[in-house]
Amino acid sequence: MAYTDIDDPTIYFNTLLWTGNGADGRALTGVGFQPDWVWIKDRDDTESHRLTDSVRGATKSLRSNGTNAEATESDGLQSFDSDGFTVGTQGSMNKSNADKFVGWSWKAGTSFSNDASATSVGTIDSTGSVSDTAGFSIVSYTGTGSAGTIKHGLSTTPAVVLVKSRGGTFGWGMYHHKNTSAPATDYLSINNSDATVDDSVFWNDTAPTSSVFSLGGTDAINKASTTHIAYCFAEKKGYSKFGSYVGNGSTNGQFSFLGFKPSMVILKRTNSSASWLMFDNKRDIDNVVSHRVYANGNDAEDSDTGSAIDFLSNGFKNRSSDNSTNASGSTYIYMAFAESPFVNSNGIPNNAR
C-alpha cells in the first residue's frame, strides 16, 4: 500500500515571503527548486496579483483578479532561477517602500509538444510543461472557436483545469471535479466572486480524461486564432487534493481530510457570491490560520479570525461560521497542497502540528 506519492512536497510547491526594496534584478531564493509557475501578491497594498509561467515566458504576466490580456512586464518577474526567481522594480513584486510580498511557486519541468493530427491525442495542438509525479501541467494552445479536445500531458485525469485567454480580455474559467454533481456542465471564475455558473457549452458537457480536457466554442477559453493558457492539476496522495464540503455554520466547523498537513488552501463558496480565499503556512506559522488574500481582488492582505481555519496534520478544519468559509448548508470547493504527508512512504506518521 502506498501511503504517499511524494515524501517531500516542498520540491514541487513552496511559498516564499520577502520585503520589497525596489532593486532591479533582485534574486529571491529559498524556493528549493526552479519554478515553472509563480503567483505573486503584494500583502500590504492594493496591487493586482501577478501570475507568470515558464511556458509563456518569465516576463509574460496575467492577473487572477482581472480579465486583462497577457502583458509583457520587463520590470516584473524577470527569470526563473535554480532556487527561486528574479524580480525587477515593479511595485506589484518589489515595491521600494518595504511592502511585504508572498509568492507561491509550483514545479512542472518536462516539456511536451503535441501535434494532434499526428498523434491522434486531442483535436487541438498544444505545447507545455508537465510533472506527472506532482500531477501538474501548464498547457498553451491556440483556440479554434469550435468544440475540441486538448492534450494536458498528465497520465491521470485532472481534477482541476484553470484556463485564461492570453490575447483577449476574458475572464478565467475553472473546471473543478467537485464543483457540482455534474461539474462538466458548470464553471467558476477566479477573477470574480460569482457563484458557480451553469453552462454546458463551456467544457462541451464533457469531463476531462486521462489524456485530454474538452472545450466548447466559448471565446473565454477557445476563441479562434487566440492563444490560451491552462493549468491542470491531478490529485496526488500525500501532496494535493481538490475537494468540497458543506458548511455547518459553527465555530466547531467542518473537517476536510486531505491525507497531509496543508501548506496552502484556496477556498471558494460555490452556491452564492463569495471571494476566493488564499491561506498558507508561511504567513501563519501557527493555528489559527487567518491571514488571507483574495484571488479575485487586489485588496491588501487581512487577518480575520471570523473566517479562520486550522491546518492539521491530516487536513484542515473550519473555525468560524463566516459565510465565505462555513455558512450552514452552503457548498464549498477547495484546492490544497501539502507541507508534509500524514504518513510517509515508509509508513511512519509525521508529527502533528
Side-chain angles (χ1 to χ4, degrees):
M1 174 182 178
Y3 296 97
T4 180
D5 293 325
I6 298 173
D7 275 319
D8 183 5
T10 63
I11 63 176
Y12 294 103
F13 172 79
N14 213 343
T15 301
L16 188 67
L17 306 180
W18 67 94
T19 300
N21 65 9
D24 193 26
R26 181 183 180 188
L28 297 167
T29 60
V31 171
F33 54 85
Q34 181 169 317
D36 290 287
W37 187 30
V38 175
W39 181 332
I40 293 174
K41 179 66 178 81
D42 185 334
R43 300 167 61 191
D44 288 332
D45 211 344
T46 53
E47 293 278 1
S48 286
H49 297 247
R50 293 297 199 278
L51 286 67
T52 62
D53 64 68
S54 62
V55 173
R56 293 180 296 123
T59 63
K60 307 291 186 181
S61 75
L62 292 167
R63 306 182 184 195
S64 67
N65 57 293
T67 61
N68 312 60
E70 176 183 275
T72 300
E73 299 178 323
S74 59
D75 61 344
L77 197 142
Q78 296 173 329
S79 65
F80 300 104
D81 308 326
S82 61
D83 187 30
F85 45 88
T86 295
V87 296
T89 59
Q90 189 184 99
S92 64
M93 299 184 184
N94 193 25
K95 194 171 293 181
S96 60
N97 65 353
D99 273 12
K100 297 187 295 296
F101 294 84
V102 57
W104 302 282
S105 295
W106 288 261
K107 176 69 176 171
T110 301
S111 297
F112 73 89
S113 179
N114 183 56
D115 180 340
S117 62
T119 65
S120 298
V121 179
T123 62
I124 299 172
D125 296 346
S126 61
T127 60
S129 182
V130 60
S131 170
D132 208 31
T133 302
F136 173 53
S137 67
I138 305 168
V139 184
S140 181
Y141 63 93
T142 299
T144 64
S146 301
T149 55
I150 295 174
K151 178 180 177 178
H152 50 64
L154 301 167
S155 64
T156 52
T157 302
V160 170
V161 178
L162 179 62
V163 181
K164 176 68 176 76
S165 169
R166 299 171 61 184
T169 54
F170 300 102
W172 293 76
M174 177 189 278
Y175 167 87
H176 190 294
H177 72 147
K178 297 294 185 181
N179 185 7
T180 64
S181 59
T185 67
D186 307 286
Y187 72 92
L188 290 159
S189 296
I190 64 168
N191 54 279
N192 61 46
S193 60
D194 295 353
T196 295
V197 178
D198 183 6
D199 186 342
S200 60
V201 175
F202 207 84
W203 305 114
N204 200 32
D205 197 12
T206 306
T209 71
S210 59
S211 58
V212 299
F213 63 92
S214 295
L215 306 171
T218 305
D219 280 354
I221 59 172
N222 194 19
K223 186 175 182 179
S225 303
T226 300
T227 55
H228 302 76
I229 197 75
Y231 305 102
C232 304
F233 298 90
E235 290 187 337
K236 293 295 178 178
K237 190 181 298 184
Y239 170 73
S240 62
K241 192 165 181 64
F242 311 101
S244 64
Y245 63 89
V246 177
N248 66 4
S250 169
T251 54
N252 183 19
Q254 298 291 75
F255 169 71
S256 294
F257 176 79
L258 304 174
F260 55 81
K261 180 196 295 186
S263 61
M264 182 187 195
V265 174
I266 303 173
L267 294 176
K268 174 70 175 83
R269 185 179 180 179
T270 60
N271 67 324
S272 184
S273 176
S275 287
W276 294 79
L277 304 184
M278 305 178 74
F279 303 96
D280 65 63
N281 65 344
K282 297 294 177 65
R283 291 176 296 137
D284 282 293
I285 60 173
D286 295 305
N287 288 322
V288 292
V289 176
S290 61
H291 286 85
R292 60 189 187 175
V293 294
Y294 308 98
N296 57 289
N298 67 354
D299 314 59
E301 174 187 276
D302 65 30
S303 179
D304 184 1
T305 55
S307 62
I309 60 177
D310 280 347
F311 282 5
L312 305 175
S313 61
N314 58 353
F316 69 91
K317 183 176 177 64
N318 284 288
R319 290 299 186 185
S320 81
S321 57
D322 187 81
N323 286 341
S324 63
T325 56
N326 193 28
S328 180
S330 286
T331 53
Y332 298 82
I333 56 95
Y334 62 81
M335 300 174 64
F337 300 92
E339 175 185 327
S340 58
F342 182 52
V343 178
N344 69 22
S345 59
N346 294 317
I348 300 172
N350 287 303
N351 291 330
R353 183 169 182 173

